[in-house]
Amino acid sequence: MPSEPSEPIRLRRLPRAWRLTATAAVLGVLATAQFVDTNDWFPFGSLSQYATARDLNGTVKSISIEAVNASGETLRVPLNQTGVGVGRAEIEGQLGRILADPALLQSIADAHAGLHPDEPAYTELTVVRSTRALVDGRPSGEPTHEALATWTVQP
Amino acid sequence: MTASPPEQPAPTVGADDTRPATWRRALGAVGRWWTSPVPLARVAVLRLVIYLFVIFDVLTLTNDVIPHGYAPDLYQPTLIGRILPFPTPSPGVGWLLLVTIIAGSLVAASGLLPRIAGGVVAVAYLAWMVNSQGFAYVSHDHLALIVATLVLPTVGRARFTDLRASEAGGWALRAIQVATVATYVGSAVNKVARTGSPWAWANGAVFTWAIMRRGSDVITWTLEYPWLLRLSQWGLLVAEVLSPAVFWLRGKWLALAIGFFLVFHLATYVSLGIHFLPTVVCWAAFAPLERLVPPVQRAWRRITRRQPDPGPATAGA
């Protein structure tokens, strides 16, 4: 039996006050975060995905990691949730930190070993940056690849 | 900052005091808008949708938390991850959070123990998201869903058949609605703030950049037509700026506006693999969901009635 609609169930003074206060506070934080431009205030930080303007005559860069494994094969490390758990954007987000201390790449090898114990282990990891130029907003020429850091995996 | 309660008698004011009274009236109107009553049944249906989606989310969309546990050295927690005592990522912690979120969501979706189960999910899901977003990349498709898990437990009991209007339910739904729209309008504000001009972003090459980095086969042909991509950038920016208009739209115009954003997300999913499903599901907070209950009840009654009658031999058992 559905209950009959009647007079609305009102909020009392205090429950109403804390809700409106919390609302104002969160909206204030979220609005400020857009101008301060910080992701640090997650979940109320800047909504910055794809918010950077890209130069029509600039370059498009992309990071990947190449691995040599115990069988001697060279392969591309699957930078995603099921591959090594860490995504490409997460590597790019702390690239400076990784280049300053390539030992952090050990984590990638450890994650691979932990998540895929039956696959041949990685023995060497190389961070590679591919760069392609834009001319008037159109891709131009072939991409170039450069190795930025290499780490010999500790067993 | 609180609204004055409507039942308080208006103070007798002279001509000099009209400004404060206007302020109070405006604040009161804002407070009433934020707590516009909605049927509790609408909250019950939305709660079911949100908590079932949270389970889907932790299993398929943000399923990097357990794998993240194998690379704790790359953990770069955001502010709340540093100040709240959330655990350092490890596979065990990930599994514990996963089980807690799924069990809590199942209970909360059913409407049992709405405050306790909902509260457990809110805390565990926040810990889960702090981990998922704590590896130097923060996506912004989860704003409204996180708000939903935080506000839904505050409504308390809400039955699927309770059509009484509730201000507590109204505030929760309004918060989810505003968080959904803020995802768009806030990102427009951020684009302007970051570039320092209203048009630099839309006139740039961000779609080209995105398609070159992760475009699927259905979209890469557009790289030859930069003007088309620039036009699309303008279309997106204008739509984001205008998104708050949904609060003034009703009926089919509201449905059309929401449909536009859903089609946009479908397009980015097909072309770039970016789906924004956690925001998409929160658009449901704009729908009169309580109308789904009677058809489901009728269907349920039909199914239960169709079951074969037990024979006379078992009838007395």
Side-chain angles (χ1 to χ4, degrees):
Chain A
M1 265 302 259
S3 320
E4 283 306 311
S6 52
E7 190 56 17
I9 307 164
R10 301 274 175 207
L11 280 167
R12 274 199 272 269
R13 197 177 177 143
L14 188 65
R16 188 183 176 83
W18 79 249
R19 279 169 171 85
L20 295 177
T21 309
T23 304
V26 165
L27 282 178
V29 171
L30 186 64
T32 309
Q34 305 317 313
F35 292 97
V36 177
D37 202 6
T38 176
N39 272 318
D40 201 35
W41 300 354
F42 171 83
F44 306 118
S46 75
L47 300 161
S48 58
Q49 264 183 291
Y50 296 96
T52 306
R54 301 289 169 179
D55 188 347
L56 292 167
N57 293 296
T59 53
V60 176
K61 294 173 183 165
S62 177
I63 291 292
S64 60
I65 298 182
E66 268 175 18
V68 178
N69 69 13
S71 315
E73 300 163 297
T74 301
L75 34 88
R76 193 174 233 217
V77 174
L79 293 175
N80 57 49
Q81 291 145 316
T82 49
V84 290
V86 182
R88 176 178 65 174
E90 293 174 320
I91 296 296
E92 291 175 333
Q94 49 187 313
L95 187 63
R97 195 173 163 246
I98 292 171
L99 298 185
D101 180 15
L104 286 168
L105 290 170
Q106 181 70 32
S107 296
I108 301 291
D110 292 345
H112 175 258
L115 290 163
H116 306 284
D118 41 345
E119 288 179 12
Y122 295 157
T123 54
E124 191 183 270
L125 294 169
T126 304
V127 179
V128 177
R129 177 161 65 200
S130 86
T131 307
R132 199 170 175 199
L134 291 181
V135 175
D136 289 335
R138 208 173 296 203
S140 166
E142 291 302 308
T144 59
H145 303 276
E146 57 184 318
L148 301 181
T150 297
W151 173 249
T152 305
V153 176
Q154 311 298 302
Chain B
M1 196 188 95
T2 63
S4 59
E7 66 269 19
Q8 204 169 54
T12 44
V13 288
D16 298 344
D17 294 334
T18 48
R19 250 163 56 101
T22 313
W23 269 105
R24 287 175 67 135
R25 264 205 304 279
L27 274 180
V30 170
R32 278 192 300 280
W33 184 80
W34 271 97
T35 54
S36 311
V38 301
L40 283 165
R42 186 177 302 181
V43 177
V45 177
L46 185 68
R47 201 166 51 189
L48 176 74
V49 171
I50 292 289
Y51 286 115
L52 291 184
F53 186 85
V54 165
I55 296 175
F56 169 76
D57 183 31
V58 296
L59 289 177
T60 61
L61 305 181
T62 54
N63 60 350
D64 55 358
V65 172
I66 295 166
H68 271 166
Y70 292 96
D73 286 348
L74 298 178
Y75 185 47
Q76 301 277 288
T78 51
L79 183 64
I80 53 167
R82 298 194 301 274
I83 56 179
L84 296 180
F86 288 140
T88 311
S90 76
V93 164
W95 278 108
L96 185 69
L97 287 173
L98 184 73
V99 171
T100 309
I101 292 168
I102 292 177
S105 293
L106 286 174
V107 176
S110 73
L112 295 169
L113 304 174
R115 289 181 202 275
I116 296 170
V120 167
V121 171
V123 173
Y125 185 62
L126 190 60
W128 180 271
M129 288 309 301
V130 163
N131 175 316
S132 180
Q133 309 288 291
F135 282 70
Y137 182 73
V138 179
S139 58
H140 70 243
D141 57 350
H142 275 76
L143 171 61
L145 188 63
I146 292 173
V147 167
T149 61
L150 294 174
V151 297
L152 282 173
T154 66
V155 182
R157 190 159 216 202
R159 291 170 177 276
F160 288 99
T161 51
D162 192 344
L163 293 176
R164 286 176 303 162
S166 147
E167 285 191 331
W171 177 75
L173 259 70
R174 189 66 89 200
I176 301 170
Q177 291 176 345
V178 170
T180 305
V181 171
T183 306
Y184 303 92
V185 73
S187 81
V189 171
N190 184 243
K191 287 172 179 108
V192 173
R194 178 173 279 198
T195 58
S197 103
W199 48 76
W201 181 86
N203 279 338
V206 69
F207 280 10
T208 302
W209 181 83
I211 294 166
M212 284 174 70
R213 279 168 50 89
R214 55 180 304 156
S216 70
D217 292 341
V218 300
I219 195 73
T220 41
W221 63 271
T222 58
L223 290 174
E224 287 303 312
Y225 305 93
W227 60 269
L228 180 66
L229 294 174
R230 222 173 306 165
L231 198 67
S232 313
Q233 286 163 191
W234 274 107
L236 175 57
L237 186 64
V238 168
E240 285 177 340
V241 169
L242 294 181
S243 59
V246 295
F247 290 113
W248 283 272
L249 299 178
R250 294 285 176 270
K252 72 170 181 224
W253 293 107
L254 176 61
L256 210 63
I258 295 175
F260 169 84
F261 284 104
L262 300 192
V263 168
F264 161 68
H265 292 306
L266 181 66
T268 62
Y269 176 63
V270 171
S271 52
L272 297 170
I274 297 172
H275 51 70
F276 263 65
L277 275 179
T279 308
V280 166
V281 73
C282 290
W283 277 110
F286 284 87
L289 297 169
E290 68 280 8
R291 292 191 205 159
L292 295 171
V293 174
V296 172
Q297 280 179 314
R298 276 198 297 278
W300 177 249
R301 271 199 294 271
R302 222 172 301 141
I303 293 165
T304 46
R305 229 180 268 150
R306 245 189 227 155
Q307 268 170 7
D309 287 324
T314 54

